[in-house]
Amino acid sequence: MTDTLPFFPPDLFEPDRGALLDILYEVGTDPEQKFILGRRTAELEQALRETTGAKHVIACGSGTGGLNLSVAALGIGPGDEVIVPAFCCQPVASSVANEGGTPIFADIDPWRMVIDPDEVERLITPRTKAIMPAHLFSIMADMPRLMEIGRRHDIPVIEDAAVAQGAVLDGTQAGRFGELGVLSFFQVKAFGTAGEGGMVLTDDDDLATTVRMLRNHGQDGVNRFLHHRIGQNSRFDEIIAGFQLHRLPTLAERLERRAQIADYYTKRFEPLREHGVLAPPPGRNGRCYYVYSLLVDRREDLRSYLTGQGIGTHIYYPVPLPLQPAFAAWAPEGVTWPHSEQASRRNLAIPIWPHLTDAQVEYIADTICEFFE
Ligand SMILES: Cc1ncc(COP(=O)(O)O)c(C=O)c1O
């Protein structure tokens, strides 16, 4: 096998290239001349209402946009605290800070790399106004426990399901646990696209109305240039909506292929435990397959070896959020996040794209096993 397997494959959307070009032409020449929030966006929102069962699905500019809108819709502002994972994508914290709130960083489970519910419980104060767990890589956060904590303390949960569309935990879809759930369509996500996009899911009528207004400068969608609130520009692109409608019917197939690859990897890597390699837990309940991340003691050595063998890898989050310069103001002195720091040092993501052939997947697994022989 001499193929090069880049971590970000340039042919991810190859089968849909013709459709994308057709949609581009159709939207560009549509007499309606609506490039954002048009009928294709409304159709995609309806399609996701049907597949997720959410009462309201609101399309927005990105997953980050969805988190920003959710925090703003809950009225979070100065003096309010939101508990977020210390090891995650930065918008969980910036969405809070941008509204003037205080992100409170909770450490993670050392194996699953998602927020630790015990830490969340420990960090609750009278100022806590929301809990924001995120599903990460290939594992959903422990939503049943987090929702129970939220209910007991009367604190809403913003469920960052950016990476986990289509994942199911104990019969409930990712994005459907929290008072607000957020999905992302960023390129390599489960339902990634050739650009940006996100969705906010909620069953709450008032929150839905607010999110809908906030995404388009506080307008109500009827009266143009009447601004009820100070909102944002987090609108959905019609070309992307058309493309996602085209790709939705084949999403389940792609998710299943990712799951099969993950099952195979986990079986192959289990024996590497004695070499300081930890694969994600086996099984499909509460699993998503955005990224397949191993925890590896000799990460840099393995990474160089794989690069030499033509296999691209990626390190998600080499620095935990509270240790980033941007969030230094929210990292209390003397507090540490040992599991997050360990995950930053050890995690290594390997390719799991649905269009990988069986031979390519075997090559990746063989090469990793070979390194430890
Ligand atoms: C856990 C998580 N939350 C939120 C986001 C933000 O999504 P977007 O890139 O669509 O803004 C990401 C993106 O990588 C993510 O991984």
Side-chain angles (χ1 to χ4, degrees), residues 62-65 67 88-89 91-92 134-136 160 162-163 183-186 189 196-197 290 317:
S62 62
T64 303
L67 294 177
C88 198
C89 196
V92 293
H135 311 309
L136 210 62
D160 179 350
V163 310
L183 306 174
S184 160
F185 299 156
F186 189 70
K189 298 278 167 22
E196 298 250 38
Y290 157 56
Y317 320 136

mmCIF file of all heavy atoms in Angstrom, residues 62-65 67 88-89 91-92 134-136 160 162-163 183-186 189 196-197 290 317, ligand 1:
data_model
loop_
_atom_site.group_PDB
_atom_site.id
_atom_site.type_symbol
_atom_site.label_atom_id
_atom_site.label_comp_id
_atom_site.label_asym_id
_atom_site.label_seq_id
_atom_site.Cartn_x
_atom_site.Cartn_y
_atom_site.Cartn_z
ATOM 1 N N SER A 62 -23.082 28.652 12.088
ATOM 2 C CA SER A 62 -22.064 27.637 12.420
ATOM 3 C C SER A 62 -22.421 27.039 13.783
ATOM 4 O O SER A 62 -23.359 27.512 14.446
ATOM 5 C CB SER A 62 -20.676 28.304 12.511
ATOM 6 O OG SER A 62 -20.674 29.271 13.552
ATOM 7 N N GLY A 63 -21.634 26.039 14.196
ATOM 8 C CA GLY A 63 -21.827 25.512 15.541
ATOM 9 C C GLY A 63 -21.502 26.582 16.578
ATOM 10 O O GLY A 63 -22.203 26.731 17.584
ATOM 11 N N THR A 64 -20.440 27.334 16.313
ATOM 12 C CA THR A 64 -20.083 28.446 17.214
ATOM 13 C C THR A 64 -21.248 29.424 17.309
ATOM 14 O O THR A 64 -21.616 29.869 18.403
ATOM 15 C CB THR A 64 -18.835 29.179 16.666
ATOM 16 O OG1 THR A 64 -17.785 28.226 16.530
ATOM 17 C CG2 THR A 64 -18.401 30.313 17.566
ATOM 18 N N GLY A 65 -21.820 29.738 16.148
ATOM 19 C CA GLY A 65 -22.985 30.638 16.121
ATOM 20 C C GLY A 65 -24.111 30.080 16.972
ATOM 21 O O GLY A 65 -24.772 30.817 17.720
ATOM 22 N N LEU A 67 -23.897 28.094 19.574
ATOM 23 C CA LEU A 67 -23.575 28.233 21.004
ATOM 24 C C LEU A 67 -23.741 29.692 21.435
ATOM 25 O O LEU A 67 -24.310 29.980 22.509
ATOM 26 C CB LEU A 67 -22.151 27.750 21.292
ATOM 27 C CG LEU A 67 -21.900 26.254 21.086
ATOM 28 C CD1 LEU A 67 -20.434 25.915 21.321
ATOM 29 C CD2 LEU A 67 -22.785 25.400 21.991
ATOM 30 N N CYS A 88 -11.657 21.059 25.218
ATOM 31 C CA CYS A 88 -12.722 21.133 24.203
ATOM 32 C C CYS A 88 -12.350 22.160 23.150
ATOM 33 O O CYS A 88 -11.297 22.793 23.208
ATOM 34 C CB CYS A 88 -14.050 21.517 24.861
ATOM 35 S SG CYS A 88 -15.487 21.129 23.845
ATOM 36 N N CYS A 89 -13.265 22.327 22.209
ATOM 37 C CA CYS A 89 -13.147 23.366 21.197
ATOM 38 C C CYS A 89 -13.457 24.721 21.877
ATOM 39 O O CYS A 89 -14.336 24.784 22.741
ATOM 40 C CB CYS A 89 -14.195 23.041 20.150
ATOM 41 S SG CYS A 89 -13.997 23.865 18.604
ATOM 42 N N PRO A 91 -15.122 27.499 21.327
ATOM 43 C CA PRO A 91 -16.390 28.236 21.427
ATOM 44 C C PRO A 91 -17.224 27.925 22.677
ATOM 45 O O PRO A 91 -18.082 28.731 23.041
ATOM 46 C CB PRO A 91 -17.165 27.872 20.156
ATOM 47 C CG PRO A 91 -16.354 26.918 19.402
ATOM 48 C CD PRO A 91 -15.016 26.813 20.028
ATOM 49 N N VAL A 92 -16.993 26.779 23.335
ATOM 50 C CA VAL A 92 -17.750 26.537 24.574
ATOM 51 C C VAL A 92 -17.444 27.635 25.595
ATOM 52 O O VAL A 92 -18.307 28.011 26.392
ATOM 53 C CB VAL A 92 -17.496 25.135 25.195
ATOM 54 C CG1 VAL A 92 -18.047 24.018 24.325
ATOM 55 C CG2 VAL A 92 -16.029 24.895 25.507
ATOM 56 N N ALA A 134 -20.074 19.025 26.197
ATOM 57 C CA ALA A 134 -19.884 18.819 24.753
ATOM 58 C C ALA A 134 -19.554 17.356 24.513
ATOM 59 O O ALA A 134 -18.814 16.742 25.281
ATOM 60 C CB ALA A 134 -18.744 19.696 24.246
ATOM 61 N N HIS A 135 -20.136 16.800 23.462
ATOM 62 C CA HIS A 135 -19.705 15.466 23.020
ATOM 63 C C HIS A 135 -18.377 15.659 22.295
ATOM 64 O O HIS A 135 -18.177 16.682 21.641
ATOM 65 C CB HIS A 135 -20.755 14.852 22.103
ATOM 66 C CG HIS A 135 -22.139 14.932 22.681
ATOM 67 N ND1 HIS A 135 -22.417 14.501 23.959
ATOM 68 C CD2 HIS A 135 -23.297 15.438 22.194
ATOM 69 C CE1 HIS A 135 -23.702 14.715 24.221
ATOM 70 N NE2 HIS A 135 -24.255 15.295 23.168
ATOM 71 N N LEU A 136 -17.498 14.671 22.436
ATOM 72 C CA LEU A 136 -16.162 14.915 21.887
ATOM 73 C C LEU A 136 -15.643 13.696 21.144
ATOM 74 O O LEU A 136 -15.759 12.573 21.642
ATOM 75 C CB LEU A 136 -15.216 15.252 23.044
ATOM 76 C CG LEU A 136 -14.078 16.185 22.684
ATOM 77 C CD1 LEU A 136 -14.605 17.526 22.217
ATOM 78 C CD2 LEU A 136 -13.147 16.380 23.857
ATOM 79 N N ASP A 160 -23.745 20.794 23.661
ATOM 80 C CA ASP A 160 -22.940 21.010 22.456
ATOM 81 C C ASP A 160 -22.793 19.664 21.742
ATOM 82 O O ASP A 160 -21.942 18.846 22.087
ATOM 83 C CB ASP A 160 -21.570 21.584 22.838
ATOM 84 C CG ASP A 160 -20.691 21.806 21.622
ATOM 85 O OD1 ASP A 160 -21.062 21.347 20.521
ATOM 86 O OD2 ASP A 160 -19.623 22.429 21.767
ATOM 87 N N ALA A 162 -22.140 19.473 18.549
ATOM 88 C CA ALA A 162 -21.545 19.882 17.266
ATOM 89 C C ALA A 162 -20.988 18.699 16.490
ATOM 90 O O ALA A 162 -21.136 18.624 15.275
ATOM 91 C CB ALA A 162 -20.437 20.916 17.516
ATOM 92 N N VAL A 163 -20.356 17.775 17.217
ATOM 93 C CA VAL A 163 -19.664 16.690 16.511
ATOM 94 C C VAL A 163 -20.502 15.414 16.428
ATOM 95 O O VAL A 163 -20.057 14.432 15.848
ATOM 96 C CB VAL A 163 -18.320 16.345 17.210
ATOM 97 C CG1 VAL A 163 -17.494 17.580 17.454
ATOM 98 C CG2 VAL A 163 -18.532 15.573 18.501
ATOM 99 N N LEU A 183 -25.840 21.739 16.784
ATOM 100 C CA LEU A 183 -25.144 20.900 15.803
ATOM 101 C C LEU A 183 -24.236 21.773 14.937
ATOM 102 O O LEU A 183 -24.521 22.964 14.776
ATOM 103 C CB LEU A 183 -26.151 20.196 14.882
ATOM 104 C CG LEU A 183 -27.255 19.363 15.532
ATOM 105 C CD1 LEU A 183 -28.227 18.860 14.473
ATOM 106 C CD2 LEU A 183 -26.650 18.180 16.290
ATOM 107 N N SER A 184 -23.200 21.162 14.385
ATOM 108 C CA SER A 184 -22.298 21.898 13.469
ATOM 109 C C SER A 184 -22.180 21.126 12.161
ATOM 110 O O SER A 184 -22.147 19.893 12.166
ATOM 111 C CB SER A 184 -20.920 22.036 14.097
ATOM 112 O OG SER A 184 -19.941 22.315 13.104
ATOM 113 N N PHE A 185 -22.076 21.851 11.074
ATOM 114 C CA PHE A 185 -21.874 21.220 9.760
ATOM 115 C C PHE A 185 -20.473 21.487 9.229
ATOM 116 O O PHE A 185 -20.229 21.413 8.037
ATOM 117 C CB PHE A 185 -22.902 21.743 8.750
ATOM 118 C CG PHE A 185 -24.329 21.463 9.108
ATOM 119 C CD1 PHE A 185 -25.353 22.258 8.613
ATOM 120 C CD2 PHE A 185 -24.670 20.405 9.939
ATOM 121 C CE1 PHE A 185 -26.675 22.016 8.929
ATOM 122 C CE2 PHE A 185 -25.985 20.140 10.269
ATOM 123 C CZ PHE A 185 -26.997 20.948 9.763
ATOM 124 N N PHE A 186 -19.559 21.845 10.106
ATOM 125 C CA PHE A 186 -18.191 22.105 9.649
ATOM 126 C C PHE A 186 -17.648 20.844 8.947
ATOM 127 O O PHE A 186 -17.822 19.721 9.428
ATOM 128 C CB PHE A 186 -17.307 22.518 10.834
ATOM 129 C CG PHE A 186 -15.953 22.993 10.411
ATOM 130 C CD1 PHE A 186 -15.810 24.186 9.742
ATOM 131 C CD2 PHE A 186 -14.831 22.219 10.641
ATOM 132 C CE1 PHE A 186 -14.566 24.621 9.318
ATOM 133 C CE2 PHE A 186 -13.581 22.637 10.229
ATOM 134 C CZ PHE A 186 -13.445 23.845 9.564
ATOM 135 N N LYS A 189 -17.256 17.198 10.276
ATOM 136 C CA LYS A 189 -18.225 16.738 11.276
ATOM 137 C C LYS A 189 -19.090 15.612 10.690
ATOM 138 O O LYS A 189 -19.076 15.364 9.482
ATOM 139 C CB LYS A 189 -19.121 17.900 11.711
ATOM 140 C CG LYS A 189 -18.355 19.036 12.381
ATOM 141 C CD LYS A 189 -18.116 18.715 13.817
ATOM 142 C CE LYS A 189 -17.126 19.581 14.554
ATOM 143 N NZ LYS A 189 -16.796 20.884 14.123
ATOM 144 N N GLU A 196 -19.749 26.323 5.990
ATOM 145 C CA GLU A 196 -20.124 26.466 7.407
ATOM 146 C C GLU A 196 -21.625 26.308 7.582
ATOM 147 O O GLU A 196 -22.400 26.588 6.663
ATOM 148 C CB GLU A 196 -19.769 27.875 7.894
ATOM 149 C CG GLU A 196 -18.299 28.210 7.830
ATOM 150 C CD GLU A 196 -17.662 28.306 9.192
ATOM 151 O OE1 GLU A 196 -18.013 27.517 10.084
ATOM 152 O OE2 GLU A 196 -16.808 29.189 9.349
ATOM 153 N N GLY A 197 -22.022 25.965 8.778
ATOM 154 C CA GLY A 197 -23.444 25.911 9.106
ATOM 155 C C GLY A 197 -23.635 25.280 10.461
ATOM 156 O O GLY A 197 -22.761 24.565 10.956
ATOM 157 N N TYR A 290 -17.091 11.262 14.852
ATOM 158 C CA TYR A 290 -16.556 12.447 14.215
ATOM 159 C C TYR A 290 -15.054 12.253 13.989
ATOM 160 O O TYR A 290 -14.534 12.425 12.896
ATOM 161 C CB TYR A 290 -16.849 13.631 15.138
ATOM 162 C CG TYR A 290 -15.971 14.836 14.985
ATOM 163 C CD1 TYR A 290 -15.842 15.465 13.760
ATOM 164 C CD2 TYR A 290 -15.304 15.362 16.076
ATOM 165 C CE1 TYR A 290 -15.044 16.592 13.631
ATOM 166 C CE2 TYR A 290 -14.526 16.485 15.959
ATOM 167 C CZ TYR A 290 -14.390 17.093 14.734
ATOM 168 O OH TYR A 290 -13.602 18.196 14.613
ATOM 169 N N TYR A 317 -6.696 19.918 20.143
ATOM 170 C CA TYR A 317 -6.555 20.610 21.412
ATOM 171 C C TYR A 317 -5.252 20.271 22.155
ATOM 172 O O TYR A 317 -5.254 19.604 23.190
ATOM 173 C CB TYR A 317 -7.769 20.338 22.321
ATOM 174 C CG TYR A 317 -9.069 20.326 21.552
ATOM 175 C CD1 TYR A 317 -10.033 19.340 21.779
ATOM 176 C CD2 TYR A 317 -9.329 21.295 20.591
ATOM 177 C CE1 TYR A 317 -11.214 19.332 21.062
ATOM 178 C CE2 TYR A 317 -10.505 21.283 19.864
ATOM 179 C CZ TYR A 317 -11.436 20.295 20.099
ATOM 180 O OH TYR A 317 -12.592 20.278 19.380
HETATM 181 C C1 LIG B 1 -17.178 20.355 20.362
HETATM 182 C C2 LIG B 1 -17.340 21.463 19.374
HETATM 183 N N1 LIG B 1 -18.177 22.486 19.661
HETATM 184 C C3 LIG B 1 -18.363 23.512 18.809
HETATM 185 C C4 LIG B 1 -17.699 23.583 17.614
HETATM 186 C C5 LIG B 1 -17.898 24.749 16.718
HETATM 187 O O1 LIG B 1 -18.498 24.416 15.491
HETATM 188 P P1 LIG B 1 -18.214 25.305 14.185
HETATM 189 O O2 LIG B 1 -16.877 24.940 13.666
HETATM 190 O O3 LIG B 1 -19.325 24.889 13.259
HETATM 191 O O4 LIG B 1 -18.320 26.716 14.582
HETATM 192 C C6 LIG B 1 -16.799 22.566 17.292
HETATM 193 C C7 LIG B 1 -16.040 22.627 16.020
HETATM 194 O O5 LIG B 1 -15.016 22.034 15.811
HETATM 195 C C8 LIG B 1 -16.611 21.474 18.181
HETATM 196 O O6 LIG B 1 -15.759 20.482 17.905
#
